[in-house]
Amino acid sequence: MLIGSVVLYLVITIAIGLWAARRVHNSKDYVLAGRSLPLYMNTATVFATWFGAEVVLSVSAEFAKNGLGGVIADPFGSSVCLVLVAVFFARAFYRMDLLTIGDFYRKRYGRTMELGTSVVIAISYVGWTAAQLTALGLAFWILSHGAISLENGIILGAIITLAYTVWGGMWSVAFTDLFQSVMIIVGMVAIAWVVGDMAGGAGKVMAAASAADKFEFWPKAGTKEWLAFVTSFLTLAIGSIPQQDIFQRVTSAKDEKTAIRGTLLGGAVYFAFAFIPIYIVYAGLLVDPSLGKLLSAEDARETQRILPAFIMSQTPMWVQVVFFGALLSAIFSTASGAIIAPTSLVTENVIKPLFPRMSDRQFLLTLRVVLLAFTAGALIFALNSKKTMYDMVQNAYTVTLVSAFVPLAAGIFWKRANNLGAILSALAGFIAWIVADYLSTDATVVPAPLVGLAFSIVGMVLGSLVPSASAEPAAHHPHGKH
């Protein structure tokens, strides 16, 4: 029954994605769903973007191991990111009527920044996409009781994700996100209810977590721990702002007001529901304490098996069906968005400028070819990585934190920001981060990403204030309506 239900779910998901693909008539449909999503669909796409494998399998285990302070990046930082985007960035993004976030850097700073940031942002998606594919491999491995190896499960997950995304682009993502969001919310709530009762009720679960100091949020040690805490928060809170998937969801809305409200609502729903897998895992550890040994496993990835292992061994069949439906929904909704975002960037901002006479039909074909190529790259990374999903996600956003955020924020809010400042900001931040990371030891106090962010700010200020013939003022200010 379990395997049959999962197969049925996969067939329905692919069918929805292929049905939605009929709406794709041009590249704008493929990348931004025609800028026509109503509030409920826009909210669902924002929520589904963040609610992925790392939240269900990795963040929940991280809480069980290190408490609230251990999940400062996600869900706290990621939720704050969406609030910041809605309040400070969504209006500017929507009014500029752009296809990708790379277009912003071109319009504000020129071709050099467009190319550099587009490549950097696209590369940052490799780890995030790999995290989702790894989760799919884990799910299929557990479902098949080992008949499908982790590696083959990862490959199978990539094929299924491609099956509908490659044809329908953002339209397929939007409709499948809506279906998958309902599955996630209904499924997680039902499972939390059942598992909580098995553990003796919500009161007992909360009391046990409190007694184990799992609600300790702030660091208790010195400067080093505080700076690490702040860096983890900033990595997702602002490092994930200059990302194409968020940009796409904001600009896919039918109007500016919907873009702002959808992002805020999506962030609020995400923050609320991100704690449900955390609750389920902790309740599960009370029911079956033997699973706690996975928290100290030599291979850090073993912690991600806690929740599915508990569900498979301790719950009735209908709960298993609901869990894997919700889990696969969470993974596929994030994975599909994670592959179309860098695809859009590379095609629009790296390839298209090399072929100025490219027709829209050729552009649409190129989008699909690039999507296949990017998925293959993420697949190779997933098959060879030994990191946890939580680590993969944080690493992905560190790159954009140190090289893309400051030029983006300065380009919107500081009129004096110019081409030279943006280039210096991106280069200084990236190089400083790489050097600081290489030189860091266990005794290092300031984390490398924080060093990179500081140098990025200094580069922007110096480059924009020092007179130079190459420092061109912006030709377009993002707050104006155009």
Side-chain angles (χ1 to χ4, degrees), residues 33-55:
R35 286 172 68 96
S36 59
L37 297 185
L39 180 60
Y40 68 94
M41 289 190 74
N42 190 247
T43 300
T45 61
V46 171
F47 165 73
T49 300
W50 284 114
F51 204 101
E54 70 284 354
V55 180

PDB file of all heavy atoms in Angstrom, residues 33-55:
ATOM      1  N   ALA A  33       5.861  32.671 -15.002  1.00  0.00           N
ATOM      2  CA  ALA A  33       4.436  32.294 -15.065  1.00  0.00           C
ATOM      3  C   ALA A  33       3.578  33.448 -15.572  1.00  0.00           C
ATOM      4  O   ALA A  33       2.457  33.657 -15.122  1.00  0.00           O
ATOM      5  CB  ALA A  33       3.945  31.842 -13.692  1.00  0.00           C
ATOM      6  N   GLY A  34       4.136  34.203 -16.522  1.00  0.00           N
ATOM      7  CA  GLY A  34       3.387  35.293 -17.137  1.00  0.00           C
ATOM      8  C   GLY A  34       3.092  36.466 -16.214  1.00  0.00           C
ATOM      9  O   GLY A  34       2.260  37.303 -16.521  1.00  0.00           O
ATOM     10  N   ARG A  35       3.771  36.522 -15.059  1.00  0.00           N
ATOM     11  CA  ARG A  35       3.513  37.566 -14.051  1.00  0.00           C
ATOM     12  C   ARG A  35       2.016  37.661 -13.768  1.00  0.00           C
ATOM     13  O   ARG A  35       1.426  38.749 -13.775  1.00  0.00           O
ATOM     14  CB  ARG A  35       4.051  38.922 -14.524  1.00  0.00           C
ATOM     15  CG  ARG A  35       5.561  39.036 -14.465  1.00  0.00           C
ATOM     16  CD  ARG A  35       6.063  40.304 -15.115  1.00  0.00           C
ATOM     17  NE  ARG A  35       5.690  41.498 -14.392  1.00  0.00           N
ATOM     18  CZ  ARG A  35       6.475  42.122 -13.509  1.00  0.00           C
ATOM     19  NH1 ARG A  35       7.664  41.646 -13.236  1.00  0.00           N
ATOM     20  NH2 ARG A  35       6.064  43.224 -12.922  1.00  0.00           N
ATOM     21  N   SER A  36       1.392  36.540 -13.446  1.00  0.00           N
ATOM     22  CA  SER A  36      -0.064  36.530 -13.306  1.00  0.00           C
ATOM     23  C   SER A  36      -0.574  35.720 -12.123  1.00  0.00           C
ATOM     24  O   SER A  36      -1.773  35.441 -12.027  1.00  0.00           O
ATOM     25  CB  SER A  36      -0.697  35.977 -14.593  1.00  0.00           C
ATOM     26  OG  SER A  36      -0.219  34.671 -14.851  1.00  0.00           O
ATOM     27  N   LEU A  37       0.288  35.332 -11.175  1.00  0.00           N
ATOM     28  CA  LEU A  37      -0.158  34.476 -10.072  1.00  0.00           C
ATOM     29  C   LEU A  37      -0.996  35.260  -9.065  1.00  0.00           C
ATOM     30  O   LEU A  37      -0.588  36.323  -8.595  1.00  0.00           O
ATOM     31  CB  LEU A  37       1.042  33.861  -9.352  1.00  0.00           C
ATOM     32  CG  LEU A  37       1.939  32.919 -10.153  1.00  0.00           C
ATOM     33  CD1 LEU A  37       3.009  32.319  -9.250  1.00  0.00           C
ATOM     34  CD2 LEU A  37       1.127  31.820 -10.823  1.00  0.00           C
ATOM     35  N   PRO A  38      -2.174  34.738  -8.685  1.00  0.00           N
ATOM     36  CA  PRO A  38      -2.981  35.372  -7.639  1.00  0.00           C
ATOM     37  C   PRO A  38      -2.344  35.160  -6.275  1.00  0.00           C
ATOM     38  O   PRO A  38      -1.392  34.396  -6.134  1.00  0.00           O
ATOM     39  CB  PRO A  38      -4.328  34.649  -7.750  1.00  0.00           C
ATOM     40  CG  PRO A  38      -3.981  33.304  -8.321  1.00  0.00           C
ATOM     41  CD  PRO A  38      -2.830  33.540  -9.248  1.00  0.00           C
ATOM     42  N   LEU A  39      -2.911  35.803  -5.251  1.00  0.00           N
ATOM     43  CA  LEU A  39      -2.303  35.795  -3.927  1.00  0.00           C
ATOM     44  C   LEU A  39      -2.112  34.382  -3.373  1.00  0.00           C
ATOM     45  O   LEU A  39      -1.043  34.058  -2.839  1.00  0.00           O
ATOM     46  CB  LEU A  39      -3.156  36.630  -2.951  1.00  0.00           C
ATOM     47  CG  LEU A  39      -2.635  36.717  -1.516  1.00  0.00           C
ATOM     48  CD1 LEU A  39      -1.245  37.348  -1.482  1.00  0.00           C
ATOM     49  CD2 LEU A  39      -3.604  37.506  -0.635  1.00  0.00           C
ATOM     50  N   TYR A  40      -3.127  33.528  -3.486  1.00  0.00           N
ATOM     51  CA  TYR A  40      -3.019  32.204  -2.864  1.00  0.00           C
ATOM     52  C   TYR A  40      -1.930  31.375  -3.530  1.00  0.00           C
ATOM     53  O   TYR A  40      -1.210  30.625  -2.862  1.00  0.00           O
ATOM     54  CB  TYR A  40      -4.369  31.476  -2.897  1.00  0.00           C
ATOM     55  CG  TYR A  40      -4.861  31.050  -4.260  1.00  0.00           C
ATOM     56  CD1 TYR A  40      -4.605  29.777  -4.753  1.00  0.00           C
ATOM     57  CD2 TYR A  40      -5.610  31.921  -5.060  1.00  0.00           C
ATOM     58  CE1 TYR A  40      -5.061  29.375  -6.000  1.00  0.00           C
ATOM     59  CE2 TYR A  40      -6.070  31.542  -6.308  1.00  0.00           C
ATOM     60  CZ  TYR A  40      -5.790  30.265  -6.775  1.00  0.00           C
ATOM     61  OH  TYR A  40      -6.241  29.881  -8.007  1.00  0.00           O
ATOM     62  N   MET A  41      -1.760  31.510  -4.852  1.00  0.00           N
ATOM     63  CA  MET A  41      -0.709  30.756  -5.530  1.00  0.00           C
ATOM     64  C   MET A  41       0.667  31.358  -5.248  1.00  0.00           C
ATOM     65  O   MET A  41       1.653  30.633  -5.074  1.00  0.00           O
ATOM     66  CB  MET A  41      -0.971  30.719  -7.033  1.00  0.00           C
ATOM     67  CG  MET A  41      -2.150  29.860  -7.437  1.00  0.00           C
ATOM     68  SD  MET A  41      -2.269  29.601  -9.221  1.00  0.00           S
ATOM     69  CE  MET A  41      -0.935  28.448  -9.503  1.00  0.00           C
ATOM     70  N   ASN A  42       0.734  32.672  -5.183  1.00  0.00           N
ATOM     71  CA  ASN A  42       2.000  33.336  -4.883  1.00  0.00           C
ATOM     72  C   ASN A  42       2.476  32.963  -3.477  1.00  0.00           C
ATOM     73  O   ASN A  42       3.660  32.677  -3.255  1.00  0.00           O
ATOM     74  CB  ASN A  42       1.834  34.847  -5.018  1.00  0.00           C
ATOM     75  CG  ASN A  42       3.157  35.590  -4.948  1.00  0.00           C
ATOM     76  OD1 ASN A  42       3.414  36.333  -4.008  1.00  0.00           O
ATOM     77  ND2 ASN A  42       4.009  35.406  -5.949  1.00  0.00           N
ATOM     78  N   THR A  43       1.549  32.946  -2.532  1.00  0.00           N
ATOM     79  CA  THR A  43       1.879  32.545  -1.155  1.00  0.00           C
ATOM     80  C   THR A  43       2.377  31.104  -1.119  1.00  0.00           C
ATOM     81  O   THR A  43       3.367  30.791  -0.444  1.00  0.00           O
ATOM     82  CB  THR A  43       0.646  32.687  -0.246  1.00  0.00           C
ATOM     83  OG1 THR A  43       0.212  34.053  -0.247  1.00  0.00           O
ATOM     84  CG2 THR A  43       0.969  32.266   1.177  1.00  0.00           C
ATOM     85  N   ALA A  44       1.699  30.235  -1.849  1.00  0.00           N
ATOM     86  CA  ALA A  44       2.080  28.817  -1.872  1.00  0.00           C
ATOM     87  C   ALA A  44       3.473  28.620  -2.456  1.00  0.00           C
ATOM     88  O   ALA A  44       4.265  27.813  -1.953  1.00  0.00           O
ATOM     89  CB  ALA A  44       1.062  28.009  -2.670  1.00  0.00           C
ATOM     90  N   THR A  45       3.804  29.368  -3.509  1.00  0.00           N
ATOM     91  CA  THR A  45       5.127  29.204  -4.117  1.00  0.00           C
ATOM     92  C   THR A  45       6.231  29.699  -3.185  1.00  0.00           C
ATOM     93  O   THR A  45       7.309  29.103  -3.108  1.00  0.00           O
ATOM     94  CB  THR A  45       5.230  29.952  -5.461  1.00  0.00           C
ATOM     95  OG1 THR A  45       5.018  31.345  -5.264  1.00  0.00           O
ATOM     96  CG2 THR A  45       4.241  29.412  -6.465  1.00  0.00           C
ATOM     97  N   VAL A  46       5.969  30.799  -2.456  1.00  0.00           N
ATOM     98  CA  VAL A  46       6.962  31.305  -1.503  1.00  0.00           C
ATOM     99  C   VAL A  46       7.171  30.296  -0.376  1.00  0.00           C
ATOM    100  O   VAL A  46       8.307  29.972  -0.011  1.00  0.00           O
ATOM    101  CB  VAL A  46       6.527  32.670  -0.925  1.00  0.00           C
ATOM    102  CG1 VAL A  46       7.451  33.095   0.219  1.00  0.00           C
ATOM    103  CG2 VAL A  46       6.522  33.740  -2.014  1.00  0.00           C
ATOM    104  N   PHE A  47       6.083  29.797   0.182  1.00  0.00           N
ATOM    105  CA  PHE A  47       6.165  28.805   1.256  1.00  0.00           C
ATOM    106  C   PHE A  47       6.900  27.551   0.792  1.00  0.00           C
ATOM    107  O   PHE A  47       7.808  27.050   1.454  1.00  0.00           O
ATOM    108  CB  PHE A  47       4.755  28.447   1.727  1.00  0.00           C
ATOM    109  CG  PHE A  47       4.684  27.194   2.567  1.00  0.00           C
ATOM    110  CD1 PHE A  47       5.143  27.193   3.870  1.00  0.00           C
ATOM    111  CD2 PHE A  47       4.156  26.019   2.043  1.00  0.00           C
ATOM    112  CE1 PHE A  47       5.084  26.038   4.654  1.00  0.00           C
ATOM    113  CE2 PHE A  47       4.092  24.869   2.805  1.00  0.00           C
ATOM    114  CZ  PHE A  47       4.556  24.875   4.114  1.00  0.00           C
ATOM    115  N   ALA A  48       6.505  27.054  -0.376  1.00  0.00           N
ATOM    116  CA  ALA A  48       7.069  25.803  -0.872  1.00  0.00           C
ATOM    117  C   ALA A  48       8.539  25.938  -1.235  1.00  0.00           C
ATOM    118  O   ALA A  48       9.293  24.955  -1.190  1.00  0.00           O
ATOM    119  CB  ALA A  48       6.278  25.319  -2.088  1.00  0.00           C
ATOM    120  N   THR A  49       8.964  27.141  -1.595  1.00  0.00           N
ATOM    121  CA  THR A  49      10.373  27.359  -1.916  1.00  0.00           C
ATOM    122  C   THR A  49      11.258  27.015  -0.732  1.00  0.00           C
ATOM    123  O   THR A  49      12.309  26.384  -0.866  1.00  0.00           O
ATOM    124  CB  THR A  49      10.613  28.834  -2.293  1.00  0.00           C
ATOM    125  OG1 THR A  49       9.827  29.153  -3.426  1.00  0.00           O
ATOM    126  CG2 THR A  49      12.068  29.081  -2.617  1.00  0.00           C
ATOM    127  N   TRP A  50      10.837  27.448   0.461  1.00  0.00           N
ATOM    128  CA  TRP A  50      11.657  27.263   1.650  1.00  0.00           C
ATOM    129  C   TRP A  50      11.421  25.924   2.341  1.00  0.00           C
ATOM    130  O   TRP A  50      12.339  25.359   2.931  1.00  0.00           O
ATOM    131  CB  TRP A  50      11.368  28.387   2.654  1.00  0.00           C
ATOM    132  CG  TRP A  50      12.000  29.682   2.299  1.00  0.00           C
ATOM    133  CD1 TRP A  50      11.367  30.841   1.949  1.00  0.00           C
ATOM    134  CD2 TRP A  50      13.400  29.989   2.255  1.00  0.00           C
ATOM    135  NE1 TRP A  50      12.272  31.830   1.707  1.00  0.00           N
ATOM    136  CE2 TRP A  50      13.542  31.328   1.890  1.00  0.00           C
ATOM    137  CE3 TRP A  50      14.551  29.238   2.504  1.00  0.00           C
ATOM    138  CZ2 TRP A  50      14.775  31.949   1.753  1.00  0.00           C
ATOM    139  CZ3 TRP A  50      15.782  29.852   2.365  1.00  0.00           C
ATOM    140  CH2 TRP A  50      15.880  31.186   1.998  1.00  0.00           C
ATOM    141  N   PHE A  51      10.184  25.439   2.298  1.00  0.00           N
ATOM    142  CA  PHE A  51       9.865  24.219   3.042  1.00  0.00           C
ATOM    143  C   PHE A  51      10.335  23.005   2.246  1.00  0.00           C
ATOM    144  O   PHE A  51       9.571  22.352   1.539  1.00  0.00           O
ATOM    145  CB  PHE A  51       8.366  24.124   3.316  1.00  0.00           C
ATOM    146  CG  PHE A  51       8.035  23.263   4.501  1.00  0.00           C
ATOM    147  CD1 PHE A  51       7.727  23.839   5.719  1.00  0.00           C
ATOM    148  CD2 PHE A  51       8.058  21.881   4.416  1.00  0.00           C
ATOM    149  CE1 PHE A  51       7.430  23.052   6.826  1.00  0.00           C
ATOM    150  CE2 PHE A  51       7.761  21.084   5.504  1.00  0.00           C
ATOM    151  CZ  PHE A  51       7.450  21.671   6.717  1.00  0.00           C
ATOM    152  N   GLY A  52      11.613  22.692   2.379  1.00  0.00           N
ATOM    153  CA  GLY A  52      12.185  21.588   1.632  1.00  0.00           C
ATOM    154  C   GLY A  52      12.725  20.483   2.521  1.00  0.00           C
ATOM    155  O   GLY A  52      12.383  20.377   3.710  1.00  0.00           O
ATOM    156  N   ALA A  53      13.605  19.696   1.947  1.00  0.00           N
ATOM    157  CA  ALA A  53      14.132  18.523   2.639  1.00  0.00           C
ATOM    158  C   ALA A  53      14.868  18.874   3.917  1.00  0.00           C
ATOM    159  O   ALA A  53      14.756  18.184   4.931  1.00  0.00           O
ATOM    160  CB  ALA A  53      15.078  17.783   1.692  1.00  0.00           C
ATOM    161  N   GLU A  54      15.632  19.982   3.870  1.00  0.00           N
ATOM    162  CA  GLU A  54      16.444  20.315   5.042  1.00  0.00           C
ATOM    163  C   GLU A  54      15.583  20.645   6.253  1.00  0.00           C
ATOM    164  O   GLU A  54      15.973  20.395   7.395  1.00  0.00           O
ATOM    165  CB  GLU A  54      17.408  21.470   4.715  1.00  0.00           C
ATOM    166  CG  GLU A  54      16.784  22.823   4.510  1.00  0.00           C
ATOM    167  CD  GLU A  54      16.089  22.991   3.167  1.00  0.00           C
ATOM    168  OE1 GLU A  54      16.185  22.074   2.318  1.00  0.00           O
ATOM    169  OE2 GLU A  54      15.445  24.031   2.970  1.00  0.00           O
ATOM    170  N   VAL A  55      14.384  21.211   6.031  1.00  0.00           N
ATOM    171  CA  VAL A  55      13.500  21.555   7.146  1.00  0.00           C
ATOM    172  C   VAL A  55      12.939  20.285   7.791  1.00  0.00           C
ATOM    173  O   VAL A  55      12.945  20.137   9.020  1.00  0.00           O
ATOM    174  CB  VAL A  55      12.329  22.448   6.667  1.00  0.00           C
ATOM    175  CG1 VAL A  55      11.415  22.792   7.834  1.00  0.00           C
ATOM    176  CG2 VAL A  55      12.867  23.714   6.028  1.00  0.00           C
TER     177      VAL A  55
END
